[in-house]
Amino acid sequence: MASSTGNEKSVNPVLRVSQLDALELNKALEQLVWTQFTTCFSGFKPGVLAHLEPEIKAFLWLILWRFTVYSKNATVGQAILNIQYKNSFSQTEKYQALSKQQKLWYLVLTVGGRWLEERCYDLFSSRPLQSLCKVKSLMTFGTGLVKLCGLLNFLLFLQQGRFATLTERILGIRAVFGRPQGVRQLGFDYMNRELLWHGFAEFLIYLLPFINLQKIKLKISSWCLPVAGLPSSEQAAAAQCKECSLCGEWPSLPHTIGCSHVFCYYCIKSNYLHDLDFTCPKCGSEVQSLQPLKYKIEMAELH
């Protein structure tokens, strides 16, 4: 029986999706580290890191490489997913860690390659000299060739399930599980709850636009604040003209709907357009005709 420690540890192939997830986690971590680093210089003059940005990034990725691939034979994303690198050049099927030369070449091809690409881009963009045109064209051709090889390697990876990146294929390093994977048990109760909740959420998203919340709000307010009787005298009617029955403010362009209550033109027009069955929130009268108020109320009457 194979042991789980040292060189006697058996090799467990890694699923394609797990290898791709590890790559995405690595990119997310690098972006997070760079964001946190630039935040430290937020109070400085803008563009203070622009001239040395490729070198600073290379130094940060060097630190990450030192404490991940060099010391643990795995990137951060791989360590999270219980994955590590194996030296595929070894003849034995048992696990064998990466050699020092493989780790150093991994640093050169990943960190050094990105630094060279960024630094050459800044160099050629800031100094458009005729003597550098041939070098720039060679660099562009080399970059395109590397990307084409990366595409071919990715197609082979989808077919074979090994060497997710071109660097892994060149160096002969393969991703394997660090510990034997246990059987994943997922209860049907949890799945049923998730399906039920997602179905209920989609039903609410479909149903809510058909519910007239404004009408329900006005109906509840008319129930909570009933009006016992309506005044009939001119003075009482004039007193009710001092505030809008919807917004409670001094009515702008006061209008009536056929009852003794007054509304702002914008308030009643917008509510009536939104709901053709609109009723007065105070007396429950339906809209008979939208007409301007006949009473001439002056602002002095508020005092």
Side-chain angles (χ1 to χ4, degrees), residues 93-112:
E93 290 295 330
K94 303 301 180 180
Y95 176 78
Q96 184 174 353
L98 302 182
S99 63
K100 189 174 182 179
Q101 289 77 12
Q102 286 177 318
K103 296 177 181 179
L104 293 177
W105 276 110
Y106 183 90
L107 173 66
V108 172
L109 294 178
T110 55
V111 179

Side-chain angles (χ1 to χ4, degrees), residues 175-249:
V176 296
F177 281 118
R179 296 182 300 274
Q181 292 296 97
V183 179
R184 298 182 62 184
Q185 296 180 356
L186 186 63
F188 285 102
D189 294 339
Y190 172 78
M191 296 178 63
N192 291 335
R193 287 197 300 269
E194 288 295 317
L195 290 174
L196 181 62
W197 171 250
H198 286 293
F200 180 68
E202 292 179 358
F203 176 73
L204 288 180
I205 293 174
Y206 175 78
L207 183 63
L208 285 178
F210 295 97
I211 300 177
N212 192 339
L213 298 178
Q214 183 68 16
K215 184 175 182 179
I216 295 176
K217 179 181 177 181
L218 295 176
K219 182 65 70 175
I220 293 175
S221 63
S222 64
W223 291 343
C224 297
L225 300 172
V227 178
L230 296 177
S232 57
S233 62
E234 293 290 333
Q235 295 181 355
Q240 294 192 30
C241 297
K242 297 180 181 179
E243 67 176 17
C244 174
S245 298
L246 289 174
C247 64
E249 302 294 335

Side-chain angles (χ1 to χ4, degrees), residues 11-65:
V11 174
N12 301 302
V14 182
L15 300 176
R16 296 173 177 83
V17 64
S18 299
Q19 299 183 55
L20 296 178
D21 288 342
L23 294 177
E24 292 298 325
L25 288 174
N26 294 335
K27 295 178 182 178
L29 175 70
E30 293 176 356
Q31 183 63 33
L32 179 62
V33 171
W34 178 248
T35 302
Q36 294 294 328
F37 181 81
T38 53
T39 304
C40 301
F41 295 87
S42 59
F44 289 78
K45 182 180 178 180
V48 66
L49 301 177
H51 300 290
L52 298 177
E53 182 174 335
E55 286 73 18
I56 295 174
K57 284 185 176 181
F59 178 73
L60 294 177
W61 307 159
L62 173 63
I63 296 176
L64 289 178
W65 168 85

Side-chain angles (χ1 to χ4, degrees), residues 10 24 26 69 73 82 105 156 171 241 278 282 286 288:
S10 60
E24 292 298 325
N26 294 335
V69 177
N73 294 306
N82 184 27
W105 276 110
L156 291 175
L171 299 180
C241 297
F278 175 81
K282 293 190 175 181
E286 297 182 356
Q288 299 177 3

Side-chain angles (χ1 to χ4, degrees), residues 2 8 30 51 64 72 86 88 97 99 101 109 120 143 188 198 232 252 259 263 276 282 284-285 287 294 299:
E8 297 298 324
E30 293 176 356
H51 300 290
L64 289 178
K72 299 180 180 180
K86 170 187 179 296
S88 64
S99 63
Q101 289 77 12
L109 294 178
C120 289
T143 303
F188 285 102
H198 286 293
S232 57
S252 300
C259 62
F263 307 88
L276 297 179
K282 293 190 175 181
S285 301
V287 179
K294 296 180 180 180
M299 291 295 294

